[in-house]
Amino acid sequence: MLRKSLLLAACLVPLSAQAQVVTRTFDLLGTDFQVYSGAPSPLVADPVLLNFTLALDPGIAPAGPSTAGLVINSFNLPYALAWSLSSNGTLIIATNGTPGSCAADPNSFCAIIRDAFTDEPALFFLELSDANGGWFAQTRSVGVSDAAVPEPASWGMLVVGFGAIGGAMRYRRRRMAVAFG
């Protein structure tokens, strides 16, 4: 039994080398909006607050806009969002999720977060637009928190380890039995 457990554990070790999914929660704040084009309608919200969680493997980010792994926890604007991640670690979350830039479409929202998966991400740009023009936030901030999610192989190793300990304890009990005759 113990040999089988160790053999299974040895088979699971290479699985733990797989890339790990990163789960990160972002808090974005944009305020002090200034008109950058046209004559937009009065601003819908100032400040703009967005809290979202994104779970992804940074090494295998999709090439185009995606909603996979994105959970909007709270947002004070009525927009559906998508995200894209560039090869240099810049995260764009927007109504269109255009990779590499924000498109100034009518009734759109866009935020660019540089170094999104490092220890010090920066909210580089935040803009809103309507059919008549657009605004950009002069004051921007981003806060992040990470959730540790163990890999499936780690759970497998834990279960196999407990099984091996249980098997070893059971084997010891059998050998220690004393018979009086």
Side-chain angles (χ1 to χ4, degrees):
M1 174 69 179
L2 183 59
R3 286 183 186 168
K4 288 180 182 177
S5 297
L6 291 175
L7 182 61
L8 183 59
C11 292
L12 289 176
V13 168
L15 295 177
S16 64
Q18 295 175 352
Q20 187 169 356
V21 172
V22 175
T23 302
R24 183 166 256 198
T25 300
F26 295 86
D27 287 305
L28 306 183
L29 167 68
T31 189
D32 299 328
F33 283 87
Q34 297 295 316
V35 173
Y36 73 84
S37 71
S41 306
L43 195 58
V44 177
D46 190 359
V48 170
L49 305 167
L50 170 60
N51 177 282
F52 66 96
T53 302
L54 185 59
L56 67 104
D57 179 351
I60 311 175
S66 176
T67 57
L70 176 66
V71 176
I72 304 296
N73 302 317
S74 63
F75 189 29
N76 63 344
L77 293 174
Y79 298 123
L81 301 174
W83 64 273
S84 63
L85 183 66
S86 68
S87 59
N88 67 359
T90 299
L91 175 67
I92 296 177
I93 183 154
T95 50
N96 57 11
T98 304
S101 68
C102 290
D105 297 330
N107 301 316
S108 66
F109 167 86
C110 182
I112 299 176
I113 304 169
R114 287 190 174 159
D115 303 320
F117 290 92
T118 65
D119 292 336
E120 295 185 25
L123 182 56
F124 172 69
F125 184 73
L126 193 142
E127 66 99 19
L128 303 167
S129 64
D130 67 10
N132 302 315
W135 307 267
F136 70 94
Q138 288 190 312
T139 305
R140 302 167 303 277
S141 67
V142 61
V144 294
S145 61
D146 294 324
V149 179
E151 297 179 35
S154 299
W155 286 106
M157 291 292 290
L158 181 69
V159 169
V160 168
F162 281 130
I165 291 169
M169 290 175 63
R170 183 173 183 214
Y171 179 74
R172 260 195 191 154
R173 265 192 249 139
R174 278 198 234 152
R175 291 185 88 193
M176 292 176 40
V178 178
F180 294 101

